[in-house]
Amino acid sequence: MPLTFTFDPAVTPELRDGILDLWADVSNAGGAVGFVPPVTREDIRPWLVQHLASMAEGRVRLLVGHDEEGRVAATAFLTLNTHHLMTHWLWLYTVMVHPRHQGKGYGRDLLAAAADAARGLDGIEAIRLTCRGGLGLEHFYESCGYKEVGRIPGAIRVAPGDDRDDVIMLLPLA
């Protein structure tokens, strides 16, 4: 059964807790979403609070996917550029699908919903994201229409002696 996506949902305590659970579960399953396992909800909470504050300021928009049971199953944060020369594209951050739903095509659905949401924003012509090298994520994003446009070798240190490339991807929306 497909996910139900909502762009700019009302942030309720249930949604906040669902995102915390999702982020912790994805991180602890090895997902490249800003943490390395083990991580707790409390480790993640300050980062989510930053996202929520940016949402309240109108700089960040949330896309959330709920599964058939109404649980938060996927998210992506669309971050608008504030620099006047870069307002024609946005960043896509913290792209997550719960491990129990991976392999069902929901990642592709999430990226398609994010592109649709971005197309609905005035003046947005492209989506830019970065992903951690060494996991093959860039190949997944390429299969969804993104193009690798840059790579910074060793920019992400996940552990001492374990540096990964920061891969820059772009999806033109036109």
Side-chain angles (χ1 to χ4, degrees):
M1 180 157 207
L3 300 181
T4 303
F5 291 100
T6 307
F7 188 51
D8 291 333
V11 179
T12 63
E14 294 79 21
L15 178 61
R16 180 201 61 219
D17 291 347
I19 294 170
L20 281 172
D21 289 340
L22 172 65
W23 207 336
D25 290 347
V26 169
S27 296
N28 286 322
V33 288
F35 297 92
V36 292
V39 67
T40 68
R41 289 172 45 141
E42 294 312 308
D43 296 326
I44 295 166
R45 187 178 304 276
W47 297 96
L48 178 57
V49 168
Q50 285 180 349
H51 282 337
L52 297 176
S54 295
M55 286 170 55
E57 295 168 357
R59 294 183 295 118
V60 173
R61 312 282 292 269
L62 172 62
L63 176 66
V64 63
H66 287 89
D67 64 16
E68 63 278 357
E69 297 174 10
R71 294 180 295 186
V72 174
T75 62
F77 291 89
L78 291 79
T79 301
L80 303 170
N81 283 300
T82 57
H83 193 284
H84 67 280
L85 299 178
M86 297 183 188
T87 58
H88 59 288
W89 60 271
L90 59 75
W91 286 99
L92 192 61
Y93 286 113
T94 321
V95 177
M96 301 185 283
V97 173
H98 196 281
R100 74 175 162 268
H101 293 302
Q102 291 180 2
K104 299 178 183 178
Y106 292 166
R108 291 181 190 289
D109 294 345
L110 175 61
L111 291 175
D116 288 344
R119 284 185 188 95
L121 299 175
D122 190 37
I124 299 299
E125 299 172 9
I127 298 173
R128 186 170 161 183
L129 62 81
T130 63
C131 62
R132 184 185 304 170
L135 301 171
L137 296 171
E138 61 271 36
H139 304 298
F140 168 71
Y141 288 115
E142 285 173 349
S143 75
C144 294
Y146 285 77
K147 179 180 178 187
E148 182 177 329
V149 295
R151 182 179 288 256
I152 303 168
I156 301 169
R157 179 160 291 157
V158 296
D162 188 1
D163 294 348
R164 308 287 178 88
D165 293 355
D166 189 16
V167 183
I168 304 160
M169 310 290 294
L170 183 74
L171 177 71
L173 295 173

